Amino acid sequence: MHIRILGAAAGGGFPQWNCNCPNCGGVRREELNARPRTQSSIAIRGADETAWTLVNASPDILAQLHANPQLQPGRAYRDTGIRNIVLTDSQIDHTTGLYMLREATKPWPLWCTDSAFDDLTTANPILQVLRRYCGVDRRRIDVAGEWFAVEGSEDLRWQAIALPGKPPPYSARTPQPGDVIGLLVEDLRTERRLCYAPGVAHIDSGLFELMCSSQCVLVDGTFWTDDELVRLGVSHKRAADMGHLSQTGGMIKWLDRLPATTRRVLIHINNTNPILVEDSPERALLSSHSIEVAYDGMEIVL
């Protein structure tokens, strides 16, 4: 199984277009040892090198496709290496890129939960709009734990992990299971697993058991502290209010409990998080715990 990190940042990317926090201002002025990052998205393939599944379609998808030529094999005038799209939620940061994929020559096989489908056909009807363009062949993700397979990568199997979370701010729905999911992806040839959870409010015994069963955990790295935005004066919301478990608020401790052979990688990193600075004390602390920080273009092979 090959996992390609297309974008490693949280919403807004890094640097964020309207942010002058120490991180964003410093990287613009080239004063920090830090890499710019686009908004969170990954691509996964099995044995077939031309059959990738896009997990979340960020607003930066066109730049991400340009930076990853393996997603454009060039077998025809109009072609792509992306065979399927899987969504972990209906947030704007994970779905706006669907608009940019409207020139596809056939309907997109798109996997999502019922709650995400409801949002994307009513409150934010992206899928309704796409029907006037390439179209979407919606496939249902069952949050009860049923495994599913995606086209072109039958050597991989997928399972949704229901996570605590809320509908997007634009949605008037009450919270329900499936608003936020993680993904367990297993290579049937090697029995090696990826646990992908870019948005985690807290970790319970069920999620931790799945993390322990995986050879790589690609997990929420949004905030360093719970009060990060409050201390900077950019928001009154804490990490927990936004559905994220901060590194110092418990994530590091949970990752420390994983088997020693498990690869630990943080993704969906907010522009304010000091771990973006590669020579920061916070990054050094992560390294001492064998925790990596995802970056655009990073490749993980399981």
Side-chain angles (χ1 to χ4, degrees), residues 8 28-29 40 59 63 71 78-79 84 92 136 160 169 177 183 214 217 238 245 282:
R28 283 195 194 95
R29 295 188 296 270
S40 177
L71 300 181
R78 296 290 176 92
D79 184 37
N84 311 272
I92 287 175
V136 169
L183 294 167
S214 303
V217 172
R238 305 175 77 90
L245 177 65
E282 294 82 1

Side-chain angles (χ1 to χ4, degrees), residues 65-215:
L65 293 176
H66 180 73
N68 292 274
Q70 61 270 59
L71 300 181
Q72 172 50 271
R75 295 164 296 187
Y77 284 125
R78 296 290 176 92
D79 184 37
T80 177
I82 300 173
R83 296 279 189 90
N84 311 272
I85 302 171
V86 175
L87 301 178
T88 61
D89 54 47
S90 54
Q91 295 284 349
I92 287 175
D93 299 336
H94 287 160
T95 58
T96 301
L98 293 172
Y99 282 126
M100 288 70 169
L101 301 176
R102 66 190 182 277
E103 295 93 353
T105 57
K106 58 183 179 180
W108 283 110
L110 185 139
W111 295 83
C112 65
T113 63
D114 288 341
S115 56
F117 183 72
D118 183 32
D119 287 335
L120 298 176
T121 52
T122 56
N124 183 23
I126 293 176
L127 303 187
Q128 303 281 35
V129 174
L130 288 181
R131 287 175 182 168
R132 300 287 184 174
Y133 295 89
C134 60
V136 169
D137 182 7
R138 188 259 170 145
R139 314 291 176 86
R140 182 175 183 268
I141 292 180
D142 182 4
V143 294
E146 291 289 331
W147 290 94
F148 62 95
V150 300
E151 296 175 358
S153 296
E154 287 76 12
D155 50 342
L156 304 180
R157 65 173 184 167
W158 302 61
Q159 184 184 72
I161 307 168
L163 299 174
K166 302 176 182 178
Y170 66 76
S171 176
R173 290 187 301 99
T174 56
Q176 63 186 68
D179 286 338
V180 180
I181 63 170
L183 294 167
L184 194 66
V185 189
E186 180 178 356
D187 190 319
L188 296 173
R189 300 163 300 165
T190 64
E191 298 184 343
R192 294 174 68 81
R193 288 179 168 186
L194 167 73
C195 182
Y196 178 59
V200 177
H202 67 266
I203 296 175
D204 59 18
S205 59
L207 174 57
F208 186 65
E209 183 178 346
L210 294 176
M211 292 168 66
C212 287
S213 75
S214 303
Q215 283 65 49

Side-chain angles (χ1 to χ4, degrees), residues 190-293:
T190 64
E191 298 184 343
R192 294 174 68 81
R193 288 179 168 186
L194 167 73
C195 182
Y196 178 59
V200 177
H202 67 266
I203 296 175
D204 59 18
S205 59
L207 174 57
F208 186 65
E209 183 178 346
L210 294 176
M211 292 168 66
C212 287
S213 75
S214 303
Q215 283 65 49
C216 180
V217 172
L218 191 54
V219 71
D220 191 338
T222 310
F223 296 112
W224 179 252
T225 62
D226 188 59
D227 64 346
E228 190 168 304
L229 298 182
V230 177
R231 286 187 297 102
L232 288 171
V234 298
S235 175
H236 65 280
K237 293 183 178 181
R238 305 175 77 90
D241 299 331
M242 302 170 70
H244 298 289
L245 177 65
S246 67
Q247 279 99 74
T248 59
M251 183 61 77
I252 293 175
K253 290 181 179 179
W254 279 106
L255 295 180
D256 277 345
R257 294 176 56 190
L258 292 173
T261 56
T262 303
R263 189 170 179 183
R264 308 155 173 84
V265 185
L266 297 176
I267 195 170
H268 195 272
I269 304 151
N270 199 60
N271 62 82
T272 54
N273 194 328
I275 67 174
L276 289 167
V277 182
E278 299 191 17
D279 50 5
S280 65
E282 294 82 1
R283 178 67 78 88
L285 180 61
L286 289 183
S287 296
S288 72
H289 288 264
S290 300
I291 299 172
E292 302 174 66
V293 178

